[in-house]
Amino acid sequence: MDVVMWLLLAAVLIPANIYAVKWHRSGRVPLWASGLFTAVLGIGLGFAAGLVLVGIGDSGQGGGFMAAFIGLVAVGNGLLLFLMGLVLVIGKQFNKKDTPV
């Protein structure tokens, strides 16, 4: 069952990170916005994984822990993208050489 968790994380986070960087480089979406979107969707992903992994008739402790881990990793990934995007935006503001002569 652990393999399912890692496959789900890889299937969701690897394409999300690739598209976030691709869209940032093309200038379509800022990296901080992609990170914020990923963090918000990570919450939904954790709840969706909980619905799938926790059965109605049983206690579902293992599935609950897996769902919480999936959600926390996705939210953490989104927060890292958000913070990296903020650092890039702040760095651009300090590197502007727009001084009048």
Side-chain angles (χ1 to χ4, degrees), residues 62-86:
F65 285 134
M66 272 193 226
F69 182 75
I70 289 170
L72 285 174
V73 169
V75 169
N77 182 46
L79 289 177
L80 280 174
L81 285 173
F82 177 74
L83 290 175
M84 286 189 295
L86 281 181

Side-chain angles (χ1 to χ4, degrees), residues 18 25-26 30 35 45 47 55 60 68 88 90:
I18 289 171
R25 286 188 178 175
S26 69
L45 179 66
F47 279 115
L88 289 173
I90 292 170

Side-chain angles (χ1 to χ4, degrees), residues 33-46:
S34 295
L36 197 61
F37 187 67
T38 304
V40 170
L41 284 181
I43 296 169
L45 179 66

